[in-house]
């Protein structure tokens, strides 16, 4: 005689009903759970909190603030972009110093005695500009272009902007790399502003219509009072 089947207890009934419910609505619930998890995983940009963080900007590079609203880092190789940024940053840091010092009176032999704004055309007219063009072209051809090919084709290439030229040994630390890119970005903006102001005002440093008075408004009142006395 076969034993009579035992009636399931309450816990077994609850487990069976829960399994059946999940099996019936499994795909929908799984999709909701997946979307919820994906939404939670998307990080926001530190620079623009209402936008998603660019995937290529993970904070490991010096100067990475997560600012890339056009998502150019998804299109342009990040090391190639860093090479271009550092090159122009270094040029502009030198350019700001050179432009201002010339307008403050610094000159070199055989250079045209003109303002920085007029120096380009004057150097071309006198033919001395060729002495600057040739070295720059050589540096670009012998160092700049090979560096770009190295970055694009060699996975273990040194980072963009790293030419192994650091005789004083001050560029190895993360702090100095951060300072270089931060000051370089400031210099790129500053040089654009200096050239624009110099062209608009046609005047010397500080490239305003009324000299230092435009930078320090109270000086206008002081000079006016002195003129009365």
């Amino acid at each position: 005689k076969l034993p009579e089947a035992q009636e399931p207890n309450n816990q077994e009934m609850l487990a069976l009903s829960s399994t059946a419910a999940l099996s019936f609505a499994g795909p929908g619930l799984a999709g909701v759970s997946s979307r919820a998890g994906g939404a939670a995983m998307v990080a926001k940009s530190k620079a623009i909190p209402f936008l998603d963080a660019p995937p290529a900007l993970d904070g490991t590079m010096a100067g990475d603030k997560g600012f890339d609203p056009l998502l150019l880092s998804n299109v342009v190789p990040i090391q190639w972009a860093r090479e271009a940024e550092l090159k122009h940053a270094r040029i502009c840091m030198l350019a700001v110093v050179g432009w201002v010092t010339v307008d403050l009176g610094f000159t070199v032999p055989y250079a045209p005695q003109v303002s920085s704004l007029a120096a380009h055309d004057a150097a071309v007219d006198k033919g001395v500009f060729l002495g600057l063009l040739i070295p720059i072209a050589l540096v670009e051809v012998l160092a700049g272009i090979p560096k770009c090919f190295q970055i694009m084709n060699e996975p273990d290439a040194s980072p963009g902007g790293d030419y192994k030229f650091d005789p004083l040994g001050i560029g190895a630390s993360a702090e100095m790399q951060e300072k270089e890119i931060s000051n370089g970005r400031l210099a790129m903006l500053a040089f654009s502003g200096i050239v624009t102001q110099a062209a608009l005002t046609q005047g010397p440093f500080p490239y305003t219509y009324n000299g230092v008075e435009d930078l320090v408004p109270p000086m206008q009142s002081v000079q006016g009072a002195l003129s009365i006395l």
Side-chain angles (χ1 to χ4, degrees):
K1 182 178 179 179
L2 296 174
E4 295 182 359
Q6 297 180 354
E7 295 183 359
N9 57 30
N10 293 336
Q11 292 183 349
E12 291 175 342
M13 290 294 292
L14 180 60
L16 289 172
S17 60
S18 300
T19 304
L22 289 175
S23 299
F24 179 76
L29 291 177
V32 172
S33 176
S34 176
R35 288 193 295 271
M41 292 297 291
V42 175
K44 294 297 181 181
S45 169
K46 294 181 180 179
I48 313 176
F50 57 85
L51 293 180
D52 294 340
L57 302 182
D58 55 4
T60 57
M61 296 179 66
D64 182 359
K65 309 299 182 184
F67 181 81
D68 186 13
L70 300 180
L71 295 179
L72 296 178
S73 57
N74 290 348
V75 181
V76 179
I78 193 67
Q79 286 297 336
W80 185 88
R82 173 46 57 93
E83 168 70 19
E85 183 181 30
L86 270 177
K87 180 171 71 174
H88 288 86
R90 291 163 178 169
I91 290 173
C92 283
M93 284 189 283
L94 294 172
V96 167
V97 176
W99 187 287
V100 173
T101 53
V102 167
D103 283 344
L104 290 177
F106 177 79
T107 59
V108 296
Y110 305 107
Q113 305 299 311
V114 295
S115 68
S116 293
L117 184 63
H120 175 274
D121 292 345
V124 171
D125 293 340
K126 293 181 176 294
V128 296
F129 194 75
L130 194 62
L132 180 62
L133 178 61
I134 292 176
I136 291 177
L138 289 175
V139 170
E140 189 68 20
V141 171
L142 298 178
I145 295 177
K147 180 64 176 179
C148 291
F149 277 104
Q150 181 191 45
I151 290 174
M152 298 294 290
N153 297 299
E154 297 181 15
D156 58 344
S158 56
D162 183 2
Y163 287 87
K164 307 302 180 185
F165 179 78
D166 187 12
L168 300 180
I170 60 176
S173 67
E175 179 184 4
M176 294 304 296
Q177 293 175 12
E178 184 75 22
K179 289 180 178 180
E180 180 185 33
I181 193 63
S182 297
N183 286 279
R185 289 167 177 169
L186 177 62
M188 286 188 280
L189 294 173
F191 187 69
S192 299
I194 288 173
V195 174
T196 301
Q197 281 296 111
L200 290 174
T201 63
Q202 296 292 318
F205 181 84
Y207 314 111
T208 62
Y209 289 103
N210 299 306
V212 181
E213 295 179 10
D214 289 338
L215 300 178
V216 189
M219 290 188 63
Q220 300 177 7
S221 301
V222 172
Q223 290 185 351
L226 292 176
S227 62
I228 295 175
L229 296 176

